Amino acid sequence: MTPSTSGTRSEIPGSRGSDLPRQLTVTVCFIVCIVGSMIGVGVFGGTPIAEAAGGALNADATYLAPASGAFSIWSVIYTGLGAYTIWQWLPSQRSSARQRSLGWLVAASLVLNAAWILSVQAGWVAVSVLVIVALLAVLAACFVRYSRTPAANWIEAVAVDGTLGLYLGWVSVATCANTAAALTDAGWNGFGLTPEVWSITILAVVAALGVALAAYGRGRLAPAAALAWGLSWIAVSRLNGELLSTGTAVAAIAAAAVIALAAVVYRVTGRNRIPAEAAASAAHR
């Protein structure tokens, strides 16, 4: 999670406002999100996501659906979001410009997460796409904001940057899978192209997105790790599930490898560039 050095903490947009309402809102939204996730896995008697909406989102519904093991990443993300919720209550973070910038967006993401689960439970697959696209946009905005300044220490790097990075990476993959599910559920014929052609094309777009995130974030590992994780499980699903597609599996593995390599390259080159920029800045003083 290599930080960007452009700008200072005081330059982050959205850094004004009352702190206590923001902290309370994040906490309440986290509780709502957790309750929603428990509904999503059937803890309260609801239908598990894979079985909801007539099975539109199960592992064999579309070529872009990941195998069920992929969803274990949510336990890591929810744990991280819990750590973030606690972190933002620390006295040192209450008036932090970084937390002021991120807090409301994180709260919005938590509400959208719960809304997505409820929309799927209600069988509103098309609506769920709108919700997850909104969630992706909010997480992208978070990424832009926290990438502008470095974390103060490794705890913040893990609880904030790491958590939000995993969240963004996974939701990027989930958005593709969700959209494919909605189109399939609606009976879309793909303009005459085969589902495999579409899946490979979309996976190429995901690879490009992963490279762009690596470039902007100077090699932040969390988004790349979550993207690679999700893509790998798409490959597993296409090689071992009922809906087999070797072409899609190969494309998913290739996309995961490209994203991982890009993150490493930008991380190394970003670290090398930062001392050079600092030296150049000092020379001009």
Side-chain angles (χ1 to χ4, degrees):
M1 293 161 284
T2 305
S4 171
T5 56
S6 58
T8 62
R9 290 178 180 269
S10 62
E11 295 172 339
I12 301 176
S15 60
R16 294 183 179 180
S18 181
D19 298 309
L20 184 57
R22 183 194 73 247
Q23 292 171 300
L24 289 171
T25 300
V26 169
T27 304
V28 171
C29 290
F30 174 68
I31 294 172
V32 169
C33 180
I34 292 300
V35 172
S37 71
M38 294 175 75
I39 293 174
V41 298
V43 171
F44 298 132
T47 305
I49 292 296
E51 300 172 14
L57 296 173
N58 71 44
D60 296 305
T62 72
Y63 280 72
L64 292 175
S68 58
F71 299 97
S72 61
I73 194 175
W74 275 118
S75 62
V76 180
I77 294 173
Y78 286 137
T79 299
L81 288 170
Y84 172 87
T85 301
I86 295 171
W87 174 261
Q88 54 114 34
W89 276 104
L90 298 181
S92 62
Q93 298 304 308
R94 179 169 186 173
S95 59
S96 164
R98 210 166 191 248
Q99 299 312 318
R100 285 175 172 173
S101 174
L102 292 171
W104 293 109
L105 288 175
V106 173
S109 79
L110 295 168
V111 172
L112 287 168
N113 192 323
W116 181 84
I117 293 171
L118 294 176
S119 64
V120 173
Q121 288 284 344
W124 302 336
V125 183
V127 172
S128 73
V129 173
L130 298 178
V131 175
I132 202 168
V133 168
L135 174 58
L136 181 61
V138 168
L139 293 174
C142 286
F143 180 78
V144 169
R145 291 191 177 187
Y146 75 71
S147 292
R148 291 174 177 171
T149 55
N153 50 56
W154 71 268
I155 299 177
E156 183 177 2
V158 172
V160 180
D161 303 42
T163 295
L164 296 180
L166 289 176
Y167 200 2
L168 171 62
W170 172 250
V171 170
S172 298
V173 174
T175 299
C176 296
N178 197 171
T179 303
L183 291 173
T184 300
D185 188 60
W188 185 58
N189 65 4
F191 299 123
L193 297 176
T194 65
E196 189 171 59
V197 169
W198 276 110
S199 65
I200 292 172
T201 300
I202 293 170
L203 289 169
V205 173
V206 173
L209 171 63
V211 172
L213 290 175
Y216 188 87
R218 292 187 177 178
R220 290 176 178 270
L221 299 180
L227 279 163
W229 171 268
L231 291 168
S232 297
W233 281 100
I234 289 176
V236 170
S237 191
R238 298 290 69 78
L239 290 174
N240 298 289
E242 296 178 8
L243 190 62
L244 301 177
S245 172
T246 302
T248 301
V250 170
I253 293 170
V258 167
I259 292 170
L261 179 61
V264 172
V265 169
Y266 279 109
R267 187 174 182 84
V268 172
T269 57
R271 281 183 170 180
N272 291 338
R273 185 165 58 245
I274 290 171
E277 290 174 352
S281 176
H284 286 86
R285 290 177 185 172

